[in-house]
Amino acid sequence: MTLPAKPCEIFLPDEEATVALAQRLAPLLLGQAPAPGATGAPQGAPGGRIHLRGDLGAGKTSLVRALLRACGVSGRIKSPSYTLLESYNVSNLYFYHFDFYRFSDAHEWRDAGFGELLAENAVVLIEWPEQAGTRLPPPDLDILLEYAGAGRRAWLSACSEKGQLWLTHLPPLRT
């Protein structure tokens, strides 16, 4: 499989656009994307890994909250800035939201016992993955959020076949 040469670029002028992006990604994480070559009902496997990168305040946590909400998480969705991990369960699918911002050593995430949570059949969302150095397995999708005037620019890069499937089946943004 050949991954795209350049990332998919999406302009997010406001929080509403960020929520719309999350709503477009949610069905893909829930396994509602067609399997490669499939022509009928969705058959993609639920779960996957997304790394979220960007400066402080660029919208990583806002995107994750909107994504979790769109996937069916109800109740309070807390930032894992201090706890490092928040977990959720929706219809027997586990969601793990990590924030590695406070890590000062690339080994800390594994020393904390997080390695066992990076299962294929879970949704793993990691903010500040660069704090773990090269020790993390590659994500399916890497999302870089950058300031763009009053809005944000999201760069989505597929890093696996599953990530490529997601980008291929990402519904267009309605304007």
Side-chain angles (χ1 to χ4, degrees):
M1 177 195 70
T2 303
L3 297 177
K6 64 184 214 178
C8 172
E9 176 186 354
I10 300 172
F11 179 65
L12 305 170
D14 52 27
E15 187 174 349
E16 187 176 299
T18 301
V19 170
L21 174 59
Q23 290 171 338
R24 294 166 56 207
L25 286 169
L28 306 174
L29 290 170
L30 295 172
Q32 298 169 357
T39 57
Q43 299 173 18
R49 288 186 292 277
I50 297 178
H51 290 179
L52 296 107
R53 299 178 297 112
D55 291 335
L56 282 171
K60 296 178 296 296
T61 301
S62 294
L63 179 58
V64 169
R65 279 189 176 125
L67 187 56
L68 290 170
R69 205 50 86 214
C71 286
V73 174
S74 59
R76 185 170 180 219
I77 298 175
K78 300 184 295 184
S79 170
S81 292
Y82 294 100
T83 59
L84 306 178
L85 166 67
E86 292 293 334
S87 61
Y88 307 91
N89 185 318
V90 177
S91 299
N92 294 323
L93 180 61
Y94 285 92
F95 293 79
Y96 299 110
H97 178 196
F98 294 95
D99 186 330
F100 292 165
Y101 177 72
R102 299 190 182 287
F103 284 175
S104 58
D105 181 286
H107 295 281
E108 286 184 84
W109 75 275
R110 192 170 298 277
D111 293 344
F114 294 150
E116 62 196 42
L117 299 178
L118 302 180
E120 291 291 326
N121 58 346
V123 174
V124 178
L125 309 165
I126 302 176
E127 295 185 50
W128 300 97
E130 60 274 17
Q131 296 298 92
T134 59
R135 307 225 182 307
L136 288 173
D140 295 303
L141 191 64
D142 184 82
I143 300 176
L144 171 63
L145 293 165
E146 298 178 322
Y147 290 99
R152 306 290 187 267
R153 190 164 315 283
W155 301 90
L156 286 67
S157 301
C159 301
S160 71
E161 286 188 30
K162 181 178 264 192
Q164 180 63 52
L165 177 72
W166 291 347
L167 288 183
T168 301
H169 291 90
L170 188 67
L173 188 61
R174 289 175 175 62
T175 55

